[in-house]
Amino acid sequence: MAHQKKGGIVNTLYPPGPRPGAGPRIKNHYRRFWWCDCLILIIIVLVIVLPIIFVAIPHKAQHDIDASTLEVNSQEVTQPTENGIHLKIQSTAKSSSSFHPTLEAFTASFALEGKEPFLHANVPETKAEAETTITIDQDVTIANMDAFKEYNKVVIGNESFNVMFYGKTKVHQSGLKPISVDYTKKLTMKGLNKLAGMNITNLKILSGLDEKLPDGSNMIGSVLIDNPSVMTLDLGNVTMDLSIEGKAIGYALLPNMVLKPGFNNCSMQSTLDQISVFQLVTTKYKDAILPVDIKGNSSIANGKHLPYFEEAIKGNVIRVNLDAGPALSAIGLFNATESL
Ligand SMILES: *[C@@H]1O[C@H](CO)[C@@H](O)[C@H](O)[C@H]1NC(C)=O
Ligand SMILES: *[C@@H]1O[C@H](CO)[C@@H](O)[C@H](O)[C@H]1NC(C)=O
Ligand SMILES: *[C@@H]1O[C@H](CO)[C@@H](O)[C@H](O)[C@H]1NC(C)=O
Ligand SMILES: *[C@@H]1O[C@H](CO)[C@@H](O)[C@H](O)[C@H]1NC(C)=O
Ligand SMILES: *[C@@H]1O[C@H](CO)[C@@H](O)[C@H](O)[C@H]1NC(C)=O
Ligand SMILES: *[C@@H]1O[C@H](CO)[C@@H](O)[C@H](O)[C@H]1NC(C)=O
């Protein structure tokens, strides 16, 4: 048996047992290689834990974000300027996740599906609960005018539409490092459906110079519009072109037109070619019910054109069966009894 070497730092720290044998040799192994076993244990723990921390938890966080829903309860577009609006959106996020993390504030983009974003807005920090209210309330600059025009056409023309709402944020859950997630939601919204069902009532013809309004308007009335969406739209001073069978008969101004969700009663003042209208009533439309085509012309706020609304209303023509009878009778130009 070789004489054991007494030197060496390991032997000094862990001197070999008094007699050689299996037991002591194992003990010896542990004494010598304890750090190695620790290392293996640490590696095993890390191999199990790291994927949980770096793969499973982020995956779960992203999955929970994807599985959550977002619904817009109200959307207000006010204070329109040439290149911006004030945007207020109240929405409800719902999640069935058992985690209730905090989402960092982030910048969200709005876009029609497959199109460039038309604006970006700040989403405040949000604590995710089963049901969470998220409010956006700020002035925004239009990020892409063509995309915003396209969006407003869809808002006015479609019964319903989808809008993408997306951004990158971080999820904070106590005890964990912030986890990066993509927040992407497809919002299905009701549109204004071409202002279908619009009606014009309470017509009053202003005859004579003393009755006419300063801008020359010779007829006033109420425009009734049903807005089936959750959107409020401040369209500024809106003018519309009026025609019958393709022949222009005048135009209408809807001052400070703000469309709110539900029923709207907007005042209208119009400048009509009264002679043309009177001719139509005495020849073709003897019941004084005129099929008037109304086409948006301009949308102006504080003296500036709002091109993103103008393009949308220009593309929208509404046919209204205008009952001019009562207004004409009131000035003695029509007798409903005689016309029968
Ligand atoms: C809007 O409606 C038109 C047809 O009415 C349709 O072609 C278009 O895809 C709709 N747009 C959106 C964004 O829903
Ligand atoms: C429009 O209003 C008039 C009253 O001025 C009413 O007689 C008519 O039925 C209304 N038309 C529609 C489509 O609601
Ligand atoms: C619309 O408003 C006008 C004046 O503000 C009012 O005289 C008229 O009765 C209203 N019409 C409806 C249907 O509410
Ligand atoms: C309507 O638009 C035309 C140009 O397209 C313009 O010449 C006209 O003055 C507009 N009418 C009103 C009332 O704004
Ligand atoms: C609409 O026009 C009137 C009269 O010109 C003006 O007083 C008002 O400020 C205008 N509204 C907007 C939103 O610019
Ligand atoms: C309308 O015409 C009928 C029959 O000609 C007449 O009796 C009635 O007085 C007239 N009504 C008005 C308001 O002029």
Side-chain angles (χ1 to χ4, degrees):
M1 190 173 128
H3 195 77
Q4 269 181 326
K5 230 179 134 207
K6 300 280 189 223
I9 188 156
V10 172
N11 275 335
T12 312
L13 287 173
Y14 305 106
R19 52 187 177 91
R25 220 182 276 139
I26 290 169
K27 259 190 217 152
N28 223 1
H29 168 93
Y30 278 115
R31 281 180 182 164
R32 278 169 179 244
F33 298 111
W34 65 273
W35 50 272
C36 183
D37 297 318
C38 276
L39 205 62
I40 288 167
L41 187 69
I42 288 168
I43 288 169
I44 289 170
V45 168
L46 289 183
V47 161
I48 295 167
V49 169
L50 288 185
I52 294 176
I53 293 175
F54 289 104
V55 180
I57 292 176
H59 186 266
K60 163 103 175 113
Q62 183 66 57
H63 172 271
D64 288 357
I65 293 280
D66 292 345
S68 71
T69 60
L70 185 69
E71 194 189 332
V72 175
N73 309 116
S74 80
Q75 173 175 322
E76 294 170 28
V77 172
T78 54
Q79 297 163 36
T81 65
E82 271 174 301
N83 49 22
I85 52 167
H86 186 89
L87 180 67
K88 183 171 182 186
I89 295 181
Q90 273 175 313
S91 57
T92 307
K94 288 184 186 168
S95 168
S96 52
S97 171
S98 49
F99 283 110
H100 297 289
T102 301
L103 267 70
E104 262 181 32
F106 68 104
T107 303
S109 302
F110 293 80
L112 290 176
E113 279 178 289
K115 300 286 168 74
E116 289 289 307
F118 48 85
L119 54 84
H120 308 286
N122 303 322
V123 180
E125 182 183 285
T126 305
K127 174 93 174 82
E129 305 288 355
E131 218 174 290
T132 313
T133 301
I134 303 174
T135 303
I136 291 171
D137 192 358
Q138 66 174 119
D139 289 332
V140 289
T141 303
I142 293 148
N144 181 320
M145 188 56 82
D146 285 339
F148 195 50
K149 285 176 181 172
E150 185 71 32
Y151 166 74
N152 281 297
K153 277 185 198 166
V154 168
V155 165
I156 291 186
N158 285 51
E159 192 174 349
S160 89
F161 62 94
N162 293 325
V163 63
M164 303 305 297
F165 173 83
Y166 57 96
K168 287 185 188 301
T169 182
K170 288 198 170 96
V171 165
H172 292 250
Q173 176 78 30
S174 58
L176 293 175
K177 278 199 159 177
I179 300 162
S180 295
V181 289
D182 285 321
Y183 191 95
T184 302
K185 292 289 159 230
K186 188 198 277 191
L187 306 172
T188 298
M189 313 263 304
K190 277 191 172 164
L192 298 180
N193 194 21
K194 304 184 175 74
L195 305 178
M198 177 168 140
N199 201 355
I200 299 178
T201 63
N202 294 326
L203 281 184
K204 184 165 187 272
I205 293 170
L206 309 174
S207 56
L209 280 176
D210 53 334
E211 274 198 334
K212 278 187 191 171
L213 300 183
D215 71 344
S217 295
N218 55 15
M219 187 175 82
I220 55 170
S222 305
V223 178
L224 310 180
I225 298 172
D226 186 46
N227 173 1
S229 77
V230 296
M231 290 180 271
T232 298
L233 281 180
D234 182 346
L235 298 165
N237 280 325
V238 170
T239 66
M240 294 183 168
D241 293 331
L242 310 176
S243 63
I244 295 174
E245 294 177 340
K247 184 180 186 298
I249 56 155
Y251 57 88
L253 167 70
L254 288 89
N256 303 311
M257 183 179 181
V258 180
L259 281 180
K260 297 203 170 72
F263 174 73
N264 290 269
N265 181 352
C266 310
S267 64
M268 173 201 82
Q269 59 196 62
S270 51
T271 306
L272 275 192
D273 177 355
Q274 288 181 344
I275 294 170
S276 296
V277 173
F278 189 62
Q279 276 170 353
L280 285 166
V281 171
T282 51
T283 56
K284 193 163 181 191
Y285 302 101
K286 293 193 169 168
D287 56 358
I289 293 177
L290 303 167
V292 179
D293 288 323
I294 303 175
K295 183 169 179 270
N297 186 318
S298 63
S299 160
I300 299 174
N302 302 311
K304 303 272 197 249
H305 284 266
L306 307 173
Y308 45 92
F309 287 147
E310 284 184 350
E311 280 206 15
I313 61 171
K314 274 180 182 166
N316 196 51
V317 181
I318 315 147
R319 167 73 57 88
V320 171
N321 287 315
L322 189 77
D323 184 0
L328 288 168
S329 310
I331 58 165
L333 289 178
F334 180 72
N335 185 328
T337 320
E338 273 178 357
S339 76
L340 289 175

